[in-house]
Amino acid sequence: MPVKFPDVDLASEDGLLAVGGSLEPEVLREAYTHGVFPWPVSKEFPLTWFAPDPRGVIKLDNFHTPRSLAKFLKKNPFEMSFNKDFDQVITSCAEQKRKHEAGTWINSEIINGYKKLFKQGSAYSVEAHKDGELVGGLYGVCIGEIISGESMFHSKTNASKACLVHLVSTLKKAGLSFLDTQMVTPVVESLGGEEISRQEFMMMLERLDIDRSRNDIFGS
């Protein structure tokens, strides 16, 4: 039986819409095409689904690269690529230590679910290599023009930001207008991320072409 999520307007004040289910590709596609994403919040409720209001996005025309970062990236410090090492990127995101966080929401179920989604062409990764070593990465969902940024990691300064800059540049060339960041972290805000109403987000979502292929957006 096909999965159907409740209307996003039924979400709680903190954005919680549903609990339980699976992370099979068809469930994830149903979620993202309807403005919903998984975000495990505790061991008691390992799989919870959210549709927050407000919603975090980067409107690509508002993306801002700070002068110091632009100067750093002008030296081409990393070799950039798409979809070359998705498994290592998502694993490294799960292992990244973050300030003010005791653990990670990227558990084994999330990792396995998004690996399956990637194999079916509906997830992507951005990689930054230095001297042959993966030093930064970003992964997300790409269901046609629905592009999300799920998580980033870095082991070298500015490597994850380089991935985001590379991603935004590529999405703009593909004619897209925004990246779904779900929430706005300080890093995302410093680069032009903003909060919009859930209603505005859903209207933007409805205008997207969900039939475009990953290769059409990111290249082969």
Side-chain angles (χ1 to χ4, degrees), residues 58-64 172 191-194:
I58 294 176
K59 294 180 179 178
L60 303 186
D61 285 342
N62 296 336
F63 186 76
H64 167 68
K172 289 181 77 170
L191 297 169
E194 61 186 283

Side-chain angles (χ1 to χ4, degrees), residues 8-17 50-53 198:
V8 294
D9 289 335
L10 297 175
S12 67
E13 187 175 344
D14 62 2
L16 178 63
L17 183 67
F50 283 80
D53 188 10
R198 183 169 57 213

